[in-house]
């Protein structure tokens, strides 16, 4: 104990044993709760968020364990510190040392007498520094011999400030134990003044904080990894959004195709994002006037999310437009799209509907690949078009796709949509179609395709949905 703090001093009186026991019980209950959280945060190590949670829990457990030990030492009182000159007595007084990672060996104390050049260490300090309890305690001049070369100047400066300027010590340095293991030690000390105000000795408490610093390093590295992961995810999300906006048709509102004919389709479309803005899917729609005066209509969806699927959507939509401009019929177009996806470096699966509309005969020729069939509304009622055979794009090589034809009439409304239009896990293609067909009386009152899209979006667009979706409306004029 420092010479200037006597047992009669009020500050030296220990707190009540019962209150310390209550704190110990509370600390241990909290440790159990944190440990339960840590077990729940277990994963395969690939998720930065899980690593971050586990690292924080590890750090909290270390701190709570140290608090538990310190409270136990406070309850039991300070251990006796025998004279450093009596090595045999010291060896008898110190029990067999527990493992150096034991929490009970992580806090030790020392006093260096400047007048007699004697050093007094507690038994715990011998364990922390890896020294033989039967040997003498090191003097202040000898202590730097245990310290890592890079940290010796730091220790020397702390000790000098304490002895010369009476400044308290509060710092860390690394030691090299006899077994070459490097440990981190936190030292808190203060000068012990003589009656004339001069420094008579230096008293210090040293704590092995190696495990704590390792936990903090894990936390820091995990935080950095998480930040890099978040930055990469944000960058990929931004690029995916920009690519999606660049690929989807640039027109907004209404569009009439073909533009130079009296028999036209009044067109409108809408992209409905998922409730989670971070989810960018592969849903697409398209309407394009072809060189022969016909009109291409299409919607589709690539499986997956993020930058990869947005890039795949761009490739697929470019292929659709190119083949349609070259006069490819919908069935053959689907077959070639299937080959394209089957041959990509990163295999992908997709669904789609592609249509060609001849305005002079009002004939719709279409094919589909495992996609919801278009819905036809006429005179206040609606029905699903009978779908020709067609399998999922990319699922099997050399698949063939049949075509179907439908003759439309002035005033007819055609709705094409992707399967994420209706929110909820239980929303199947049949459920989605039935809900849309129930809107037939209201859709019959709509003057334009844009009005039809607005009605559907007002009905279903604001609800929570797990994935994005597309809706394309074509009204025959």
């Amino acid at each position: 104990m420092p010479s200037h703090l006597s047992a009669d001093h009020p500050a030296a009186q220990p707190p009540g044993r019962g209150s310390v026991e209550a704190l110990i019980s509370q600390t241990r209950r909290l440790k159990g709760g944190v440990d339960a959280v840590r077990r729940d945060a277990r994963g395969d190590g690939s998720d930065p968020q899980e690593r971050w949670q586990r690292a924080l829990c590890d750090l909290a457990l270390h701190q709570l364990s140290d608090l538990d030990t310190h409270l136990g030492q406070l309850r039991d009182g300070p251990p006796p510190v025998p004279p450093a000159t009596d090595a045999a007595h010291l060896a008898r007084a110190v029990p067999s040392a527990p493992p150096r990672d034991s929490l009970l060996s992580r806090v030790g104390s020392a006093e260096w007498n400047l007048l007699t050049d004697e050093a007094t260490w507690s038994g715990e300090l011998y364990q922390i520094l890896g020294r033989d309890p039967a040997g003498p305690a090191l003097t202040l001049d000898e202590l730097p011999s245990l310290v890592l070369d890079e940290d010796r100047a730091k220790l020397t400066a702390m000790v000098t400030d304490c002895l010369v300027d009476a400044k308290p010590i509060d710092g860390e340095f690394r030691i090299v134990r006899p077994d070459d293991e490097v440990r981190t030690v936190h030292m808190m000390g203060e000068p012990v003044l003589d009656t004339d105000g001069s420094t008579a000795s230096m008293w210090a408490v040293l704590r092995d904080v190696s495990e704590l610093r390792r936990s903090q390093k894990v936390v820091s590295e995990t935080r950095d990894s998480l930040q890099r992961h978040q930055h990469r995810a944000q960058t990929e999300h931004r690029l995916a959004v920009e690519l999606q906006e660049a690929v989807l048709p640039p027109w907004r509102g209404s569009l009439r195709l073909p533009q130079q004919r009296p028999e036209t389709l009044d067109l409108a479309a809408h992209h409905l994002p998922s409730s989670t803005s971070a989810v960018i899917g592969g849903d697409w729609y398209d309407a394009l006037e072809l060189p022969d005066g016909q009109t291409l209509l299409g919607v589709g969806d690539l499986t997956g999310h993020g930058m990869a699927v947005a890039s795949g959507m761009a490739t697929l939509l470019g292929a659709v437009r190119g083949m349609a401009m070259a006069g490819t019929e919908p069935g053959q177009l689907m077959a070639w799209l299937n080959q394209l996806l089957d041959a990509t470096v990163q295999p992908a699966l997709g669904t789609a509907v592609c249509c060609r509309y001849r305005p002079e005969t009002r004939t719709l020729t279409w094919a589909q690949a495992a996609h919801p069939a278009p819905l036809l509304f006429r005179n206040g009622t609606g029905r699903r078009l009978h779908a020709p055979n067609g399998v999922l794009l990319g699922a099997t090589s050399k698949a063939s796709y049949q075509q179907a034809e439908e003759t439309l009439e002035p005033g007819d409304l055609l709705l094409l949509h992707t399967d994420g239009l209706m929110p909820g896990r239980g929303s199947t293609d049949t459920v989605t179609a039935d809900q849309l067909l129930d809107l037939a009386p209201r859709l019959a009152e709509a003057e334009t395709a844009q009005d039809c899209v607005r009605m559907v979006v007002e009905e279903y667009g604001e609800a929570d949905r797990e994935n994005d979706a597309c809706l394309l409306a074509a009204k025959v004029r």
Side-chain angles (χ1 to χ4, degrees):
M1 177 181 293
S3 60
H4 69 293
L5 186 61
S6 68
D8 296 328
H9 194 283
Q13 300 302 319
R17 185 182 182 91
S19 61
V20 175
E21 289 285 1
L23 288 174
I24 292 174
S25 298
Q26 292 176 10
T27 301
R28 291 175 180 174
R29 284 197 298 269
L30 187 56
K31 281 172 58 181
V34 173
D35 191 43
V37 173
R38 181 184 181 276
R39 290 195 299 270
D40 291 340
R42 288 178 180 173
D44 60 5
S46 62
D47 186 350
Q49 184 66 37
E50 290 180 351
R51 294 198 301 268
W52 169 251
Q53 292 174 350
R54 289 198 304 274
L56 285 179
C57 288
D58 287 340
L59 176 58
L61 285 173
H62 279 301
Q63 293 173 323
L64 289 171
S65 296
D66 288 346
L67 177 59
D68 187 11
T69 300
H70 297 161
L71 289 172
Q73 291 179 333
L74 180 62
R75 175 196 59 196
D76 299 336
V81 181
T85 55
D86 188 354
H89 178 67
L90 179 63
R92 291 192 301 271
V94 178
S96 58
R100 63 172 175 267
D101 286 336
S102 169
L103 294 173
L104 295 178
S105 67
R106 288 187 180 175
V107 179
S109 61
E111 186 168 356
W112 290 275
N113 191 313
L114 303 182
L115 303 180
T116 63
D117 201 29
E118 291 180 336
T120 303
W121 285 7
S122 70
E124 291 85 358
L125 186 55
Y126 279 90
Q127 297 173 24
I128 291 173
L129 302 182
R131 307 291 294 179
D132 183 359
L138 299 185
T139 66
L140 283 177
D141 291 334
E142 296 170 330
L143 187 62
S145 65
L146 303 179
V147 179
L148 204 64
D149 291 345
E150 299 94 306
D151 292 355
R152 285 179 184 171
K154 182 192 302 184
L155 174 63
T156 301
M158 289 191 300
V159 172
T160 301
D161 288 343
C162 180
L163 299 181
V164 176
D165 300 326
K167 293 182 178 179
I169 291 177
D170 188 354
E172 294 182 6
F173 52 88
R174 291 165 295 172
I175 63 164
V176 182
R177 295 165 54 93
D179 57 5
D180 293 328
E181 182 182 8
V182 176
R183 308 288 291 181
T184 301
V185 176
H186 181 221
M187 184 176 185
M188 297 184 67
E190 58 184 24
V192 180
L193 303 182
D194 207 346
T195 55
D196 60 359
S198 62
T199 302
S201 63
M202 190 185 83
W203 173 81
V205 171
L206 293 92
R207 179 187 180 203
D208 185 346
V209 294
S210 304
E211 308 306 326
L212 178 60
R213 295 297 169 257
R214 287 171 185 166
S215 297
Q216 290 174 331
K217 182 180 179 182
V218 171
V219 170
S220 177
E221 291 174 348
T222 306
R223 181 182 60 241
D224 294 342
S225 174
L226 180 60
Q227 289 174 344
R228 289 193 298 270
H229 175 80
Q230 290 174 335
H231 177 71
R232 181 169 62 251
Q234 290 170 354
T235 300
E236 290 182 356
H237 178 265
R238 175 177 54 81
L239 292 175
V241 170
E242 292 175 354
L243 182 57
Q244 185 184 60
E245 292 177 347
V247 170
L248 291 178
W251 49 273
R252 298 293 184 269
S254 296
L255 176 71
R256 291 203 172 190
L257 295 178
Q259 297 180 355
Q260 304 301 323
R261 290 177 178 267
E263 306 89 356
T264 64
L265 289 178
D266 176 24
L267 302 169
H270 191 79
H271 175 261
L272 296 92
S274 69
S275 302
T276 304
S277 59
V279 176
I280 300 297
D283 291 64
W284 57 271
Y285 66 89
D286 203 11
L288 183 67
E289 182 175 349
L290 303 176
D292 58 4
Q294 298 185 40
T295 298
L296 167 72
L297 302 176
V299 296
D301 181 17
L302 279 183
T303 57
H305 301 94
M307 187 61 196
V309 73
S311 177
M313 181 189 70
T315 300
L316 184 143
L317 194 49
V320 169
R321 290 168 177 168
M323 288 187 285
M325 292 290 286
T328 307
E329 289 295 311
Q332 184 62 60
L333 187 150
M334 286 293 184
W336 286 345
L337 278 184
N338 179 67
Q339 292 184 27
L340 175 65
L341 289 184
D342 185 57
T344 55
V345 176
Q346 294 183 335
L349 298 175
T351 68
V353 166
C354 282
C355 312
R356 289 179 72 98
Y357 176 70
R358 294 181 178 86
E360 62 272 14
T361 61
R362 297 193 181 92
T363 302
L364 184 78
T365 304
W366 67 287
Q368 63 85 31
H371 196 90
L375 303 179
L376 177 61
F377 296 83
R378 178 180 295 169
N379 298 326
T381 61
R383 62 181 175 90
R384 284 185 289 269
L385 297 186
H386 181 70
N389 291 334
V391 299
L392 193 70
L393 295 173
T396 181
S397 59
K398 299 181 180 180
S400 60
Y401 295 82
Q402 296 181 357
Q403 292 184 172
E405 284 193 359
E406 188 77 25
T407 302
L408 305 182
E409 298 178 2
D412 282 353
L413 171 67
L414 197 68
L415 284 185
L416 283 68
H417 64 89
T418 59
D419 60 3
L421 184 61
M422 299 301 169
R425 292 182 178 271
S427 181
T428 63
D429 293 344
T430 300
V431 171
T432 299
D434 289 343
Q435 290 179 297
L436 289 173
L437 292 174
D438 288 341
L439 297 177
R442 293 174 56 189
L443 293 174
E445 300 174 359
E447 294 292 332
T448 66
Q450 185 66 37
D451 292 337
C452 297
V453 168
R454 187 179 301 111
M455 288 180 183
V456 175
V457 172
E458 288 176 353
E459 187 73 23
Y460 303 110
E462 299 301 325
D464 292 339
R465 57 172 42 81
E466 296 180 358
N467 298 299
D468 56 350
C470 291
L471 174 69
L472 176 63
K475 197 170 182 63
V476 181
R477 296 297 182 184

